């Protein structure tokens, strides 16, 4: 009987040897760090899309600034949210979830892009799952 372990099993700390819960946590933490930062940066360049098309007019009546300026503010918040997930996933995941809820409400008020609102609802659930995994793994060093 061969009891020798494979190189992947022998390598301590490798992704494949980790507990599935830890793997899920790392995958979600990575996605919810990288995606908000990329989307936030794109608010300044509009390379992926012209973001003001997704903004309900009521938003600029509540905060009386031009739509593109509003998107710059959105971009900064998204970048901060991504960094928060990287540094404090328990807090950052909740920040992302609340932010996604705001995006969903904006899209419903706009009366368009319901497909994007539904996708963002799925992302919101993923952010909440990340929060639960962060609590389970005590990733922030909090009890």
């Amino acid at each position: 009987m061969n009891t020798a372990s494979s190189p992947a099993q022998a390598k301590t700390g490798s992704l494949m040897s980790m507990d599935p819960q830890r793997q899920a946590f790392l995958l979600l933490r990575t996605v919810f760090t990288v995606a908000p930062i990329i989307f936030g940066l794109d608010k300044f360049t509009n390379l992926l899309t012209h973001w003001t098309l997704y903004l309900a007019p009521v938003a600029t009546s509540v905060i009386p600034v031009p739509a593109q300026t509003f998107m710059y503010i959105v971009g900064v918040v998204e970048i901060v949210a991504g960094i928060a997930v990287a540094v404090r996933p328990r807090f950052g995941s909740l920040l992302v979830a609340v932010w996604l809820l705001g995006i969903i409400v904006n899209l419903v008020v706009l009366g368009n892009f319901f497909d994007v609102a539904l996708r963002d609802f799925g992302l919101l659930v993923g952010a909440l799952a990340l929060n639960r995994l962060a609590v389970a793994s005590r990733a922030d060093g909090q009890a």
Side-chain angles (χ1 to χ4, degrees), residues 58-76:
V58 71
T60 55
S61 66
V62 172
I63 301 175
V65 296
Q68 187 56 54
T69 303
F70 194 96
M71 283 296 131
Y72 293 151
I73 296 166
V74 167
V76 169

Side-chain angles (χ1 to χ4, degrees), residues 93-111:
S93 60
L94 293 176
L95 178 60
V96 168
V98 169
W99 189 250
L100 286 163
L101 181 62
I103 292 170
I104 293 166
V105 169
N106 171 73
L107 294 173
V108 169
V109 168
L110 182 60

Side-chain angles (χ1 to χ4, degrees), residues 4-139:
S5 61
S6 71
Q9 292 171 328
K11 192 176 181 183
T12 58
S14 74
L15 186 59
M16 295 308 292
S17 68
M18 283 185 200
D19 167 46
Q21 178 178 316
R22 182 74 179 150
Q23 291 174 354
F25 169 76
L26 291 173
L27 287 168
L28 288 170
R29 185 179 190 178
T30 301
V31 167
F32 284 110
T33 294
V34 174
I37 292 171
I38 289 172
F39 288 130
L41 290 172
D42 196 58
K43 299 302 187 288
F44 295 91
T45 63
N46 290 307
L47 293 174
L48 297 173
T49 190
H50 191 43
W51 292 102
T52 57
L53 296 174
Y54 296 91
L55 185 62
V58 71
T60 55
S61 66
V62 172
I63 301 175
V65 296
Q68 187 56 54
T69 303
F70 194 96
M71 283 296 131
Y72 293 151
I73 296 166
V74 167
V76 169
V77 171
E78 289 175 340
I79 293 166
V80 168
I83 293 169
V85 170
V87 176
R88 297 291 299 259
R90 284 178 64 180
F91 167 75
S93 60
L94 293 176
L95 178 60
V96 168
V98 169
W99 189 250
L100 286 163
L101 181 62
I103 292 170
I104 293 166
V105 169
N106 171 73
L107 294 173
V108 169
V109 168
L110 182 60
N112 206 351
F113 304 112
F114 295 116
D115 56 331
V116 177
L118 182 59
R119 180 212 57 202
D120 285 352
F121 177 75
L123 290 171
L124 183 150
V125 172
L128 293 175
L130 172 60
N131 177 265
R132 301 317 305 151
L133 289 168
V135 169
S137 69
R138 299 177 184 217

